[in-house]
Amino acid sequence: MARALAIAVLTLILAGHCCAQETLGEGEVGVEVVSIGAGNLARASDWAGVLVELRDQGTTQRDVIVEVETQDIDGDRPRYQRTVTTNPGAGAERVWVYAYLQPADQDRPLTVSVYEALPAEASSEELSGVRYEPGALLGRTTTAGRVLRPPELGTMLVVGRQPAGLAGYASRLAAGDRWVARGHEATDIASDLDPLSLPDRTVGYSGIETIVWTTADPTRLTPTRAEALRDWVRNGGHLVVSLPASPQVWLDTVRNPLAGLMPAVAIERTSGPVEPLRPLLTYDADAEIPDNLIVHRLRARADAGESDAWPILVDTEGRTIVARRRVGLGCVSVIGFDATNRTLASRGMPGMRPFWHRVLGRVGLPRDTENADRLTVVQAETRIFDTDISRLIAKGQAVVFGVLTGFGVFGLYWLIAAPVSYALLTKLSLKRHSWLAFVGCVAVFATVTWGGVTLLRPNSPEVQAVVFLDSAEGTTRTSVRGFATVLVPKYGEGGLRVGSGEDGETAAIAPWADPGSLGAAVVSGSFPDVRGYAVSGRQPDRMAFPARSTVKTVRADWSGERLWSTFRAVDTSGRPARLTLSPEGAIGGRLMHGLPAPLEDAIVLVVPPQERLAKRVGQADIARTQVRRIPNVWEAGGVVDLGAVFTPASDVDAAASRQRDADFFEDLALAGVSTSLGDVAMASRASRESDRLMAAALMSRMPPPRPGSSGERPIGLRRATHGLDLGEWFTQPSVIVLGIVRLTPESGLPFPLSIREGSSWQRLGGEGIVVVRWVYTLEPSPPDATQTADDLDPSS
């Protein structure tokens, strides 16, 4: 106890020392934190870039380490380090350091330090990915107060001036709310960003659903920043580009590093009035459309591939105004007018519901919230949809067994060494040998305990994981976010790595704690020998950490060439084929999956064309998605005939199917775990954990909350799965398959996770759950923009 108290006191002294102002000698480096997260949108329990500004007061160039220190759930201190070469006299220099910010970091300041860089040993570099170790302290700063946003908030970036309409996604009734006034989770928006302020590594965009690029000049992007943004799109991001009045820069393949992402369209300036654009901008029939708005038609080029120039929205004359291109698992949408036009913005256009919902794939609003003055302030219940993760990856059974065994052995020792031995010695008149009997009991139980520990201690690594696996038709790239508890059966220094180092991969790994658990709120130092460990703040694909023959809980993000086959469309003989959607909305075709194990709880969603652009304030969604559950386990290699699954047998069945489609999203909104009873509360018996896990793809599809005792619909929130929503694919015809695969050691993980064994890395398998998410895009069919008299009638 005395030793633990002394260590705790020493830890507090060191912590106080780290946060204190340092008196630095000659050659110091001035340090200032410019931004935590792109646009200062860093969120607790997620990756974030810390933008640091340095001013070297030395006389010559030198290598320095810029370090951001956090604290993991074990009490150990990850030190995210990036090495840069300073240029004294050149003014301020900026560098991004990427760190995983723990839940407890939300309520405490961050410390950023600068050290002299000394070469590290080759073995240390291979294990931790860090080439240098810190020498003399050259500078330090501490952020003031609370700097991180709550984990329940979504994030969006606007590079350039913010258009009208987007603010509704961040609108909240009270400053402390984490949901929008008429919807689910709020999305904080950082706008007026400069290209040079963007992250230079893909991990800096973690958790960001959408980036809207407006008035900023893309030629200002540096090569590393452009590559990071391209990788983010390839990994599933949605980049929206609003064309300026003179859009030539977006076609300049020499100066613009993002030109290769653009849809394969010819940009043609339209002539004549802008009235045909009205249905895309507003529901107000009396609103005046500015005459100075320059509109461009986006015509698919002759060399455009199948997924290079999808029309998403057209005006009343049938001209494509919003076009899209798929890039890997993500997409780039281009808007054929300047959405930041000042006259347009002053009139509240483009509106959130007529335009942005149809580009981003968000759910519309109910009729009774059309007017702000009629908005009820009664709050609906809040529910979390990703709180199952920590429970599913916990290796608690082994821990409980070990603890109970320890208590049992101790209880048996106490009984035998005290009352039993005393009674026996008394009966045999041998009480004078009590000390000898006591020592014998100690020796026997020490031998039993030591031998039991040796026998029961695991000798090989074990993994328990929950993995979200994204794939799509037409690409072999997959993207993974995994949460895993890894048993590391050694003492000293352990090592974990995600990825295999191949070109085109993006990879990051970090210690993880459930952002909703009480244990994550305050790190108490689970072990008395807590210590720091270095992690690369540039490419954090591995980490070397203190190992104590126990578990390490991590989050792993990876994208690269697929390790698992997923789905493909086939004909009756098993040859490649196409899925089709008839004008009446009937899906046709067959799907086969090549996953290494059966698919359970499978759901197939068929997204039809968007509803026409009309004044429909009561519209709950932009497209009436059809949903079917596959009734049985979908065996590996099995084929499902979508036509048979979705075709109703009669008009009565058709009506029932439409109701079932609507009920699916209603029921999904009720599946979350209530926060009113704490995160350990059980969800309703009717909901399933698989639905909650798959809901990460469908958060933008949930119907708006509805407070009240009758028919209440709760507010949906998430904490660990931001960036996994598939909303943009609900703005065009597509087929989406969701399901669960149970991991076994034989199936292997769908991403490369390795542990350090001796001098080499050994690939790990594991057990747990893989949430499979697959997207197949159908023939494009933009919604009809024509309006009728009823559409324009305010009473309709």
Side-chain angles (χ1 to χ4, degrees):
M1 176 65 73
R3 179 173 178 267
L5 180 61
I7 290 173
V9 172
L10 179 59
T11 301
L12 290 174
I13 293 173
L14 290 175
H17 175 71
C18 290
C19 296
Q21 291 291 328
E22 298 291 336
T23 302
L24 303 171
E26 295 183 0
E28 67 179 7
V29 176
V31 187
E32 179 183 352
V33 176
V34 178
S35 171
I36 301 181
N40 268 318
L41 286 187
R43 179 175 47 231
S45 195
D46 207 344
W47 284 100
V50 181
L51 185 59
V52 181
E53 186 171 272
L54 307 177
R55 293 180 182 271
D56 192 352
Q57 304 301 314
T59 58
T60 60
Q61 286 188 339
R62 55 179 169 177
D63 292 332
V64 300
I65 293 174
V66 185
E67 178 184 279
V68 176
E69 182 178 290
T70 65
Q71 191 172 19
D72 66 24
I73 193 64
D74 296 326
D76 296 315
R77 299 181 301 280
R79 293 171 172 168
Y80 296 91
Q81 301 175 350
R82 187 165 185 176
T83 304
V84 295
T85 302
T86 61
N87 292 284
E93 302 169 86
R94 292 186 173 185
V95 58
W96 282 102
V97 181
Y98 300 99
Y100 191 87
L101 303 179
Q102 300 293 327
D105 291 325
Q106 181 180 346
D107 298 311
R108 64 188 178 203
L110 288 179
T111 298
V112 180
S113 306
V114 179
Y115 296 93
E116 176 188 8
L118 303 177
E121 297 180 1
S123 58
S124 175
E125 178 185 347
E126 173 62 21
L127 186 60
S128 66
V130 176
R131 297 179 58 188
Y132 295 88
E133 59 185 30
L137 177 67
L138 303 176
R140 174 170 288 160
T141 188
T142 302
T143 58
R146 191 170 183 168
V147 295
L148 302 183
R149 297 168 193 267
E152 294 86 357
L153 294 178
T155 50
M156 178 189 299
L157 301 183
V158 179
V159 188
R161 194 164 62 244
Q162 180 170 321
L166 289 180
Y169 296 124
S171 175
R172 304 195 273 276
L173 290 176
D177 288 351
R178 299 174 187 185
W179 49 89
V180 294
R182 293 171 285 183
H184 300 285
E185 63 183 24
T187 300
D188 278 355
I189 302 172
S191 58
D192 297 312
L193 298 182
D194 183 85
L196 292 179
S197 69
L198 296 177
D200 61 357
R201 305 293 293 181
T202 310
V203 70
Y205 292 107
S206 177
I208 294 174
E209 306 275 4
T210 307
I211 298 176
V212 179
W213 195 297
T214 59
T215 55
D217 183 358
T219 65
R220 289 171 51 80
L221 277 175
T222 62
T224 54
R225 287 175 171 82
E227 183 60 27
L229 186 53
R230 288 193 296 265
D231 277 343
W232 172 77
V233 174
R234 282 194 288 262
N235 295 349
H238 185 195
L239 174 63
V240 180
V241 176
S242 175
L243 293 179
S246 300
Q248 289 79 6
V249 67
W250 284 101
L251 302 178
D252 190 338
T253 57
V254 176
R255 297 189 305 128
N256 181 0
L258 301 181
L261 299 180
M262 295 287 285
V265 295
I267 301 175
E268 303 171 353
R269 182 168 175 170
T270 63
S271 59
V274 295
E275 186 63 24
L277 200 63
R278 174 183 296 277
L280 280 72
L281 302 178
T282 180
Y283 287 137
D284 186 354
D286 299 323
E288 185 178 350
I289 310 298
D291 293 332
N292 66 346
L293 182 63
I294 296 176
V295 181
H296 298 94
R297 176 181 184 176
L298 307 176
R299 188 194 298 272
R301 299 198 308 259
D303 62 344
E306 183 178 335
S307 59
D308 291 344
W310 288 315
I312 302 299
L313 295 177
V314 299
D315 64 11
T316 58
E317 296 185 3
R319 297 174 297 196
T320 300
I321 303 300
V322 178
R324 176 175 296 163
R325 178 181 185 177
R326 186 176 63 201
V327 181
L329 298 169
C331 61
V332 176
S333 300
V334 173
I335 301 169
F337 61 91
D338 182 4
T340 68
N341 178 283
R342 295 188 186 278
T343 307
L344 197 68
S346 68
R347 299 169 184 174
M349 296 182 280
M352 180 174 69
R353 285 181 291 150
F355 185 74
W356 291 110
H357 279 350
R358 296 179 177 273
V359 175
L360 304 180
R362 303 290 184 104
V363 167
L365 300 176
R367 181 181 297 276
D368 60 2
T369 60
E370 166 65 8
N371 299 311
D373 58 353
R374 299 172 59 190
L375 177 63
T376 178
V377 295
V378 178
Q379 178 185 321
E381 178 188 16
T382 58
R383 296 194 180 186
I384 307 294
F385 281 82
D386 50 15
T387 192
D388 293 292
I389 294 174
S390 59
R391 177 180 58 82
L392 291 172
I393 66 174
K395 297 186 73 65
Q397 293 180 346
V399 173
V400 170
F401 176 75
V403 170
L404 292 178
T405 301
F407 276 117
V409 171
F410 177 79
L412 187 62
Y413 157 74
W414 184 84
L415 284 172
I416 293 177
V420 173
S421 63
Y422 180 81
L424 182 63
L425 292 173
T426 299
K427 183 176 181 179
L428 298 176
S429 302
L430 296 175
K431 286 196 296 182
R432 63 183 182 278
H433 298 300
S434 59
W435 274 107
L436 182 62
F438 177 74
V439 170
C441 288
V442 170
V444 169
F445 275 92
T447 302
V448 170
T449 302
W450 185 264
V453 168
T454 302
L455 290 174
L456 294 176
R457 185 176 65 190
N459 296 315
S460 59
E462 298 176 5
V463 176
Q464 189 76 24
V466 171
V467 180
F468 294 87
L469 171 65
D470 281 341
S471 63
E473 174 69 13
T475 179
T476 59
R477 191 173 186 84
T478 57
S479 185
V480 161
R481 180 178 300 177
F483 303 87
T485 296
V486 183
L487 176 62
V488 183
K490 63 181 293 188
Y491 289 91
E493 190 172 40
L496 290 172
R497 184 183 75 174
V498 61
S500 54
E502 296 181 359
D503 292 340
E505 279 189 342
T506 60
I509 188 170
W512 185 76
D514 178 11
S517 68
L518 297 176
V522 178
V523 178
S524 57
S526 301
F527 298 99
D529 61 335
V530 295
R531 55 190 187 271
Y533 56 97
V535 183
S536 173
R538 177 181 177 272
Q539 186 172 332
D541 63 345
R542 65 194 70 190
M543 59 186 220
F545 52 89
R548 305 176 180 92
S549 195
T550 183
V551 297
K552 194 70 177 178
T553 304
V554 298
R555 169 178 152 178
D557 296 85
W558 176 81
S559 184
E561 286 297 304
R562 67 186 180 196
L563 300 183
W564 281 14
S565 295
T566 52
F567 300 88
R568 60 191 180 99
V570 298
D571 61 16
T572 55
S573 60
R575 292 190 297 266
R578 297 285 302 173
L579 302 182
T580 59
L581 188 68
S582 72
E584 295 75 27
I587 187 69
R590 301 155 62 88
L591 279 181
M592 180 174 70
H593 84 75
L595 295 161
L599 189 70
E600 302 177 12
D601 300 329
I603 299 172
V604 180
L605 302 98
V606 175
V607 182
Q610 291 190 35
E611 300 285 340
R612 65 190 184 89
L613 298 175
K615 184 176 181 182
R616 296 160 60 95
V617 297
Q619 180 179 315
D621 204 349
I622 58 175
R624 303 193 182 279
T625 304
Q626 304 174 58
V627 187
R628 296 291 184 276
R629 294 184 184 272
I630 303 301
N632 302 311
V633 171
W634 191 343
E635 297 292 343
V639 176
V640 169
D641 186 341
L642 297 184
V645 170
F646 279 86
T647 302
S650 65
D651 292 341
V652 174
D653 290 340
S657 296
R658 286 192 294 271
Q659 184 61 47
R660 184 167 57 243
D661 296 340
D663 289 345
F664 172 80
F665 290 102
E666 290 280 349
D667 294 341
L668 186 64
L670 297 172
V673 175
S674 173
T675 60
S676 62
L677 300 177
D679 285 349
V680 297
M682 295 297 293
S684 71
R685 293 179 181 271
S687 65
R688 298 182 294 181
E689 68 183 26
S690 59
D691 285 348
R692 291 192 290 275
L693 292 172
M694 290 186 286
L698 305 171
M699 289 298 293
S700 63
R701 315 311 311 144
M702 291 187 187
R706 180 176 56 218
S709 58
S710 177
E712 179 173 356
R713 190 187 298 137
I715 296 169
L717 301 173
R718 51 185 168 163
R719 292 169 174 153
T721 53
H722 291 286
L724 299 183
D725 189 80
L726 299 178
E728 62 269 26
W729 301 114
F730 286 83
T731 63
Q732 63 185 98
S734 59
V735 174
I736 298 173
V737 181
L738 308 174
I740 300 294
V741 169
R742 304 286 173 179
L743 279 171
T744 65
E746 293 74 26
S747 64
L749 294 170
F751 67 103
L753 178 65
S754 304
I755 191 169
R756 189 71 172 182
E757 296 282 2
S759 60
S760 62
W761 294 99
Q762 301 296 322
R763 186 72 63 86
L764 292 172
E767 298 179 338
I769 287 176
V770 176
V771 184
V772 179
R773 301 133 50 88
W774 181 77
V775 177
Y776 183 104
T777 48
L778 299 162
E779 287 293 323
S781 180
D784 183 6
T786 57
Q787 294 180 316
T788 66
D790 289 339
D791 296 329
L792 301 177
D793 183 357
S795 64
S796 64

